[in-house]
């Protein structure tokens, strides 16, 4: 059953990723089962008692002065949806109860806090409990925060710590003229974090990059950065986690040059060496308040447009394109010709 929580949601679903998950668990079932049994057998934690009962009736039975620690569902029917794959594949004597509605969640929260000692958490701020806010937890940079409320506790904030390393290379600035040739330089994780924090839109949640690369001009100045990760769904594809240009400069379309560099033959070779696989395509996601992204327009194909699941943006745009169709030198010539950026003629 524990292993089922990891793969049953993919059973019967279309898509290469779901098929690979199911195939992997079938091939490794004996080993994974043995590992899980060994891990559970080694645990010395035991429950003294367990009540198969609805939380609403249970809270009425618990003594009024007893402390309560709870992590309730955030939406009506949330847990039913979460464990739906298990219900579809296991038969058991399930208890009868009415799923919590959104109003019931509020009611349960009130029953918990109407005690001398309690602790609970929510995925959104509850104004009525502001005076009891004891902590804000953000497990990863891209994770949604959890708000922890308690009757008594110290207030604290728990968030990921981002390692930063200095980047000693100069950056292109206003008044500087971009010169050829272009070249790529690998970045350490801390260096990538430093440049991303300086130039990337702060509303865009950061992610961990497998490969981070700085794009430099002939003068050794950093023009921008792109970061890649192997695609989860398509073996011969890489996902562009970040691509941004330094600013301010005299080149308003410098970000397109960074994207062209990320699609170059040289970048393709770096990806193939880092990920140990053949790479033919790139894909990325853009968050925008416009139906298209001007940075990717004309360079990548828009595959899907949907409402954004990230606050602050209207659209979530999925882009895809070929990789390795031009060299860095050809990328620079293409950029100069199509977007008319000023630069020296030497080497172009």
């Amino acid at each position: 059953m524990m292993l089922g929580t990891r793969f049953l949601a993919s059973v019967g679903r279309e898509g290469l990723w779901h098929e690979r998950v199911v195939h992997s668990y079938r091939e490794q079932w004996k080993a994974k089962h043995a590992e899980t049994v060994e891990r559970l057998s080694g645990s010395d934690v035991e429950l003294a008692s367990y009540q198969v009962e609805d939380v609403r009736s249970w809270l009425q039975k618990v003594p009024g002065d007893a402390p309560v620690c709870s992590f309730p569902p955030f939406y009506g029917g949330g847990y039913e949806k979460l464990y739906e794959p298990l219900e579809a594949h296991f038969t058991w004597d399930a208890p009868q109860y009415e799923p919590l509605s959104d109003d019931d969640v509020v009611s349960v929260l009130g029953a918990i806090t109407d005690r001398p000692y309690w602790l609970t958490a929510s995925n959104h701020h509850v104004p009525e409990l502001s005076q009891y806010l004891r902590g804000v937890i953000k497990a990863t940079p891209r994770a949604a925060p959890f708000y922890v409320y308690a009757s008594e506790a110290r207030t604290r904030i728990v968030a990921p710590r981002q390692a930063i390393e200095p980047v000693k290379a100069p950056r292109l600035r206003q008044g500087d003229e971009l010169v050829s040739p272009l070249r790529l330089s690998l970045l350490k994780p801390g260096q990538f974090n430093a440049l991303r924090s300086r130039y990337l839109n702060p509303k865009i949640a950061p992610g961990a990059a497998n490969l981070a690369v700085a794009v430099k001009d002939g003068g050794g100045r950093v023009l921008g950065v792109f970061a890649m990760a192997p695609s989860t769904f398509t073996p011969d594809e890489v996902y562009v986690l970040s691509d941004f240009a330094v600013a301010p400069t005299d080149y308003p379309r410098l970000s397109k040059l960074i994207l062209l560099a990320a699609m170059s033959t040289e970048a393709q070779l770096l990806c193939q060496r880092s990920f140990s696989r053949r790479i033919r395509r790139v894909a990325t996601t853009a968050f925008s308040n416009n139906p298209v992204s001007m940075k990717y327009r004309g360079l990548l194909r828009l595959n899907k447009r949907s409402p954004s699941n990230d606050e602050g943006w209207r659209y979530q745009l999925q882009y895809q394109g070929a990789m390795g169709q031009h060299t860095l030198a050809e990328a620079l010539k293409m950029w100069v010709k199509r977007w008319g950026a000023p630069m020296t003629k030497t080497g172009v």
Side-chain angles (χ1 to χ4, degrees):
M1 182 175 288
M2 292 191 68
L3 288 173
T5 63
R6 306 297 299 272
F7 77 93
L8 286 178
S10 294
V11 174
R13 297 184 61 178
E14 295 183 358
L16 181 60
W17 187 82
H18 294 293
E19 293 172 1
R20 291 174 64 187
V21 167
V22 175
H23 177 74
S24 174
Y25 271 85
R26 282 176 174 165
E27 292 292 315
Q28 304 177 62
W29 180 258
K30 290 184 178 180
K32 288 183 176 294
H33 186 275
E35 291 172 1
T36 305
V37 171
E38 181 180 1
R39 186 168 63 252
L40 292 176
S41 301
S43 175
D44 58 358
V45 177
E46 295 184 2
L47 291 176
S49 63
Y50 180 77
Q51 188 70 25
V52 183
E53 186 175 358
D54 187 88
V55 64
R56 288 163 289 191
S57 60
W58 182 83
L59 285 171
Q60 294 174 3
K61 295 180 180 180
V62 176
D65 59 348
V68 171
C69 179
S70 173
F71 193 59
F74 306 128
Y75 308 103
Y79 284 141
E80 282 71 19
K81 187 66 177 178
L82 178 64
Y83 294 113
E84 190 175 55
L86 287 179
E87 292 283 355
H89 293 87
F90 287 93
T91 301
W92 64 300
D93 296 329
Q96 300 298 316
Y97 65 94
E98 289 292 329
L100 290 177
S101 66
D102 291 342
D103 290 338
D104 289 331
V105 173
V106 176
S107 174
V108 169
L109 188 60
I112 292 172
T113 57
D114 190 22
R115 293 171 176 274
Y117 301 103
W118 54 270
L119 183 148
T120 188
S122 175
N123 68 336
H124 62 276
H125 179 55
V126 182
E128 293 80 5
L129 298 179
S130 294
Q131 61 178 317
Y132 300 108
L133 180 63
R134 305 304 183 190
V136 180
I137 300 174
K138 194 174 177 66
T140 67
R142 298 189 68 85
F146 286 96
Y147 299 88
V148 180
Y149 301 93
S151 54
E152 294 185 13
R154 290 186 302 168
T155 301
R156 63 184 62 192
I157 296 176
V158 180
R161 179 180 178 274
Q162 182 175 249
I164 298 293
E165 294 184 44
V167 179
K168 297 181 180 180
R171 295 92 185 269
L172 189 72
R173 302 184 184 278
Q174 281 184 315
D176 291 345
E177 192 170 26
L178 192 157
V179 296
S180 64
L182 295 184
R183 60 189 180 93
L184 306 179
S185 296
L186 296 179
L187 293 171
K188 296 179 181 178
Q191 294 175 321
F192 169 64
N193 291 338
L195 292 171
R196 178 179 61 189
S197 298
R198 174 66 180 84
Y199 298 110
L200 190 64
N201 190 321
K203 292 195 298 182
I204 299 177
N210 298 72
L211 175 67
V213 181
V215 182
K216 297 181 179 180
D217 74 346
R221 293 166 297 194
V222 176
L223 307 179
V225 173
F226 62 84
M228 305 287 204
S231 174
T232 305
F233 306 101
T234 310
D236 66 343
E237 186 176 82
V238 289
Y239 186 78
V240 182
L241 291 168
S242 298
D243 62 294
F244 53 88
V246 300
T249 70
D250 293 337
Y251 302 90
R253 297 291 181 266
L254 186 59
S255 60
K256 284 187 174 288
L257 179 58
I258 306 306
L259 179 59
L260 282 167
M263 300 166 62
S264 67
T265 302
E266 291 86 342
Q268 181 186 38
L269 292 174
L270 280 179
C271 290
Q272 291 179 157
R273 185 181 69 182
S274 298
F275 306 147
S276 300
R277 62 174 70 173
R278 176 83 61 185
I279 301 298
R280 296 183 177 87
R281 293 183 296 178
V282 296
T284 192
T285 302
F287 293 91
S288 176
N289 289 320
N290 299 313
V292 296
S293 169
M294 297 308 296
K295 178 170 65 173
Y296 299 120
R297 184 178 181 181
L299 297 178
L300 296 177
R301 180 179 69 257
L302 178 61
N303 281 347
K304 183 179 179 181
R305 180 190 298 116
S306 57
S308 174
N309 57 12
D310 217 337
E311 291 185 7
W313 308 104
R314 291 183 60 191
Y315 300 103
Q316 184 169 318
L317 310 171
Q318 306 291 339
Y319 283 91
Q320 188 182 62
M323 192 177 194
Q325 303 297 302
H326 56 257
T327 65
L328 285 174
E330 292 167 340
L332 183 56
K333 289 183 178 181
M334 186 189 313
W335 178 71
V336 172
K337 180 179 180 179
R338 295 187 61 179
W339 288 280
M343 66 173 299
T344 61
K345 296 182 179 180
T346 305
V348 178

